[in-house]
Amino acid sequence: MKILLVEDDRTIASGLEYSLKQEDYETVLCYHAAAATDIIHNQIDEIDLCLFDLNLPDGSGYDLCQLVKKRRDIPVIFLTAYDDEVNVVMGLDMGADDYITKPFRIRELISRIKSVYRRYHRDTQPKNLIEIKNIQINLLDGKVYKDGKEILLTALEYRLLLIFANHIGQILTRAQLLDQIWDVGGDFVNDNTLTVYIKRLREKLEDHPQSPTIIKTIRGMGYKVGD
């Protein structure tokens, strides 16, 4: 994810940029509204989410938010020292997706970013397309793609992937998985067979099947896809 960060306090900006990079977010940092405006006009198609300080030396985060929303419908989170109701309402009316008041803990901000992006992505994602990291599932033609290249799955592998895709962020026990796939194709699937199919699915989807990042094992509980 690429984040446009606009913050005039260089100390705060530097700390935020470092923390975001530690979370594997790419940042485009601006200290002034003018620089941010230039980015919005020329690079907005590359931006996934915006973090705007409200009070800037040469403008306002409100104005930047309006400009972004006119060009692309992407999430915007305001950073501000003010926590009064008027500013909160005004920010949301401008189209902001969330609002966090300084000082804040970086973990809280990261959590807000993930929550807003996940909610936004889920709400705007076409219903015939499900995306999980670099995996795309086209529900219309029943095909699965990795980095744009089609992956051939068996009927049961596809069904298993759909179960995970329809429960993003939820931990699914082996019993729940077995209950939903046991009769696909008229074949009985036992616990050992499920292990084999999860292994095969990982080999096709994961860059490193031995260290999966898509279908994650939650020790003692089951499996989870997504945050």
Side-chain angles (χ1 to χ4, degrees):
M1 184 195 303
K2 181 180 284 190
I3 296 176
L4 173 58
L5 170 61
V6 185
E7 168 61 64
D8 66 307
D9 186 313
R10 291 177 181 265
T11 300
I12 294 177
S14 178
L16 285 174
E17 183 180 35
Y18 174 80
S19 298
L20 291 171
K21 287 182 177 179
Q22 291 298 108
E23 295 291 327
D24 294 325
Y25 294 129
E26 184 179 352
T27 59
V28 178
L29 175 59
C30 299
Y31 301 110
H32 301 89
T37 298
D38 183 65
I39 295 294
I40 294 168
H41 279 303
N42 298 296
Q43 300 180 41
I44 192 61
D45 288 341
E46 302 173 15
I47 302 299
D48 299 301
L49 182 144
C50 300
L51 290 177
F52 292 152
D53 185 17
L54 273 184
N55 290 313
L56 299 166
D58 58 340
S60 164
Y62 293 136
D63 297 331
L64 293 178
C65 179
Q66 286 185 307
L67 183 59
V68 166
K69 293 294 184 176
K70 287 179 181 178
R71 299 183 68 86
R72 271 192 74 202
D73 192 13
I74 58 175
V76 173
I77 299 176
F78 281 141
L79 310 176
T80 179
Y82 302 104
D83 60 355
D84 60 279
E85 186 176 356
V86 173
N87 280 317
V88 172
V89 172
M90 186 182 297
L92 297 177
D93 285 344
M94 291 289 182
D97 297 273
D98 205 349
Y99 193 103
I100 188 166
T101 304
K102 303 174 187 176
F104 51 82
R105 294 180 180 179
I106 190 62
R107 294 312 310 171
E108 180 185 1
L109 176 60
I110 297 299
S111 177
R112 296 281 190 93
I113 289 173
K114 290 181 177 179
S115 177
V116 166
Y117 188 73
R118 183 167 57 243
R119 182 178 70 245
Y120 200 93
H121 188 65
R122 182 175 62 244
D123 291 343
T124 58
Q125 182 172 283
K127 295 186 181 301
N128 64 340
L129 181 68
I130 299 175
E131 293 184 286
I132 308 170
K133 293 193 173 182
N134 61 334
I135 303 298
Q136 300 84 39
I137 307 170
N138 190 317
L139 301 178
L140 290 180
D141 58 17
K143 294 182 178 180
V144 179
Y145 302 86
K146 177 179 179 180
D147 295 322
K149 297 181 179 179
E150 184 179 355
I151 300 172
L152 298 179
L153 301 181
T154 66
L156 198 145
E157 289 169 348
Y158 180 72
R159 173 61 178 162
L160 183 58
L161 178 58
L162 283 185
I163 293 170
F164 283 122
N166 288 323
H167 295 83
I168 297 292
Q170 299 178 30
I171 297 175
L172 296 175
T173 66
R174 294 178 66 86
Q176 288 174 312
L177 293 172
L178 286 168
D179 185 57
Q180 295 188 58
I181 66 172
W182 73 271
D183 62 346
V184 173
D187 298 322
F188 177 75
V189 179
N190 60 29
D191 195 66
N192 290 334
T193 306
L194 177 61
T195 299
V196 171
Y197 275 102
I198 288 178
K199 180 176 182 292
R200 289 179 181 175
L201 201 52
R202 281 173 167 168
E203 288 173 347
K204 294 180 179 182
L205 302 180
E206 304 277 0
D207 291 331
H208 305 287
Q210 301 305 316
S211 302
T213 61
I214 297 175
I215 303 175
K216 293 171 282 190
T217 298
I218 308 301
R219 188 176 298 276
M221 301 180 71
Y223 303 91
K224 183 173 76 167
V225 169
D227 294 325

